[in-house]
């Protein structure tokens, strides 16, 4: 039994879990759980378009699309895991959606050949700090009468930082899946959840296969170290950015006070700048 905390959002694990041989069952169940949560139609079958291949994936530092599949009716579903983001993240997601949508039409084909593309994004950060909704679904609507323009664009944002197991308004199936992706004690969680959701027995089996494979666990650890280093670097960049921003603001205030003929000593006290710095303004 492995009691060590496990990160199920590690992209090496996500790719293996959903797209390695036999992953169609858990992948379909997860997608349908998201669809049910958004009151959308579910699917009967999926075909994986980017099967897991450790040799071709293990050197990747960043991923564009973690999982890509197509349903029986031709709808393309892309699933991406994002551990960090910024204010421009929605544009990034829309760009990847557009890339996949544009590839559906071959030269000479008519627009009737196009099919919906669904983007499901598991975010380990808060995209919208104002709301408490864990799952949001975005489509194209008329702003006045809420009439849907087309169902070809469907973007799901799942903000995992807002998720609390069994303390939310999510449907049972999505609640179980988000618990799977956020738990730090997989064994205890699985022993509890398989009683409620039988498909989780298959999920548990795939998890065990992964952690028992030395090569995959080695790549998992490398991804974890890389991501940890990236988070430290981003935190430092934000700290320096805030510090420089405060300094720049103080320079602007000092210039204004100087134009108002305030003495340098008072300006220094108000802004924290040195007398020498103020003299140079």
């Amino acid at each position: 039994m492995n009691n060590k905390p496990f990160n199920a959002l590690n992209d090496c694990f996500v790719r293996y879990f959903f797209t390695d041989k036999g992953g169609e069952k858990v992948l379909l169940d997860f997608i349908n759980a998201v669809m049910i949560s958004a009151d959308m139609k579910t699917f009967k079958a999926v075909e994986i378009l980017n099967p897991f291949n450790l040799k071709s994936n293990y050197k990747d530092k960043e991923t564009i699309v973690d999982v890509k599949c197509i349903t029986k009716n031709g709808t393309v579903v892309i699933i991406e895991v994002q551990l960090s983001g910024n204010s421009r993240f929605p544009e990034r997601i829309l760009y990847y959606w557009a890339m996949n949508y544009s590839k559906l039409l071959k030269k000479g084909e008519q627009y009737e050949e196009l099919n919906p593309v669904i983007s499901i994004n598991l975010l380990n950060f808060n995209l919208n700090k104002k709301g408490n909704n864990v799952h949001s679904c975005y489509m194209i609507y008329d702003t006045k009468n809420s009439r849907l323009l087309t169902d070809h664009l469907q973007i799901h944002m799942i903000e995992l930082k807002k998720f609390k197991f069994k303390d939310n308004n999510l449907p049972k199936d999505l609640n179980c899946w988000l618990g799977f992706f956020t738990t730090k004690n997989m064994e205890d969680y699985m022993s509890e959840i398989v009683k409620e959701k039988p498909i989780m027995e298959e999920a548990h089996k795939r998890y065990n296969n992964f952690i028992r494979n030395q090569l995959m666990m080695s790549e998992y650890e490398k991804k974890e170290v890389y991501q940890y280093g990236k988070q430290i670097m981003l935190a430092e960049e934000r700290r320096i950015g805030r510090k420089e921003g405060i300094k720049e603001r103080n320079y602007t205030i000092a210039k204004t006070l100087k134009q108002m003929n305030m003495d340098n000593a008072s300006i220094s006290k108000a802004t924290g700048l040195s007398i020498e710095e103020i003299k140079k303004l």
Side-chain angles (χ1 to χ4, degrees):
M1 183 177 292
N2 180 28
N3 291 320
K4 184 179 179 181
F6 183 82
N7 178 20
L9 294 175
N10 180 290
D11 61 356
C12 185
F13 174 71
V14 172
R15 285 182 176 185
Y16 161 81
F17 183 77
F18 280 135
T19 69
D20 195 39
K21 185 178 179 181
E24 293 86 355
K25 291 181 181 179
V26 291
L27 177 57
L28 177 63
D29 195 88
F30 172 72
I31 292 172
N32 281 340
V34 175
M35 295 299 105
I36 291 171
S37 176
D39 296 324
M40 299 293 179
K41 65 179 181 180
T42 57
F43 303 104
K44 294 182 178 180
V46 293
E47 177 187 348
I48 296 167
L49 298 178
N50 60 340
F52 178 77
N53 186 321
L54 184 61
K55 290 183 179 179
S56 65
N57 288 337
Y58 80 99
K59 290 183 179 180
D60 292 348
K61 292 292 189 297
E62 301 282 358
T63 59
I64 295 176
V65 174
D66 290 313
V67 177
K68 185 175 180 180
C69 65
I70 188 168
T71 68
K72 199 170 183 179
N73 69 353
T75 297
V76 172
V77 182
I78 53 180
I79 301 173
E80 189 175 1
V81 175
Q82 285 296 322
L83 303 182
S84 60
N86 53 39
S87 60
R88 299 266 63 91
F89 183 77
E91 287 79 4
R92 178 184 183 280
I93 290 300
L94 187 60
Y95 177 74
Y96 287 137
W97 175 90
M99 283 177 58
N100 282 274
Y101 190 64
S102 65
K103 290 177 182 177
L104 296 178
L105 201 64
K106 298 178 183 178
K107 188 176 181 180
E109 290 184 336
Q110 301 299 313
Y111 293 118
E112 288 78 8
E113 302 296 324
L114 289 167
N115 287 306
V117 173
I118 298 173
S119 171
I120 299 175
N121 303 276
L122 288 169
L123 313 180
N124 202 31
F125 60 93
N126 288 336
L127 181 65
N128 183 1
K129 296 180 180 180
K130 294 182 180 179
N132 294 318
N133 291 337
V134 176
H135 177 204
S136 301
C137 177
Y138 298 90
M139 301 179 75
I140 303 178
Y141 289 91
D142 183 284
T143 57
K144 291 186 177 180
N145 59 29
S146 298
R147 182 168 57 88
L148 182 66
L149 178 65
T150 176
D151 65 352
H152 278 209
L153 183 148
Q154 195 176 126
I155 296 178
H156 297 262
M157 300 291 194
I158 299 175
E159 299 173 71
L160 296 173
K161 290 293 185 182
K162 298 178 181 178
F163 174 73
K164 295 180 180 179
F165 187 61
K166 291 185 178 180
D167 185 22
N168 56 69
N169 296 320
L170 295 173
K172 172 186 170 183
D173 287 348
L174 187 58
N175 186 66
C176 288
W177 276 115
L178 299 192
F180 173 81
F181 283 112
T182 56
T183 185
K184 296 304 179 184
N185 193 326
M186 190 65 77
E187 293 297 339
D188 286 350
Y189 178 76
M190 281 301 186
S191 64
E192 177 184 352
I193 209 66
V194 291
K195 301 172 185 176
E196 298 182 32
K197 191 171 174 63
I199 191 66
M200 285 307 191
E201 291 186 10
E202 177 64 23
H204 195 192
K205 177 182 176 182
R206 297 182 72 77
Y207 160 76
N208 282 329
N209 288 341
F210 183 87
I211 64 173
R212 290 169 183 167
N213 185 299
Q214 292 184 354
L215 182 57
M216 287 195 292
M217 282 302 293
S218 174
E219 297 310 318
Y220 163 90
E221 294 292 347
K222 290 177 183 178
K223 293 282 187 179
E224 289 297 285
V225 171
Y226 169 77
Q227 189 60 38
Y228 179 74
K230 183 179 177 181
Q231 289 174 341
I232 294 297
M233 181 181 68
L234 288 173
E236 182 64 13
E237 287 177 353
R238 292 191 189 101
R239 186 188 67 80
I240 294 173
R242 284 195 298 269
K243 186 176 181 180
E244 291 179 348
I246 292 171
K247 193 82 170 178
E248 190 64 32
R249 182 196 65 186
N250 288 340
Y251 275 123
T252 301
I253 294 172
K255 287 179 182 178
T256 301
L257 295 177
K258 197 168 185 178
Q259 290 170 358
M260 295 170 63
N261 296 319
M262 183 179 285
D263 63 275
N264 291 343
S266 297
I267 295 175
S268 176
K269 187 175 181 180
T271 63
L273 299 177
S274 68
I275 298 295
E276 291 300 318
E277 288 176 310
I278 296 169
K279 287 180 178 179
K280 293 177 182 179
L281 294 176

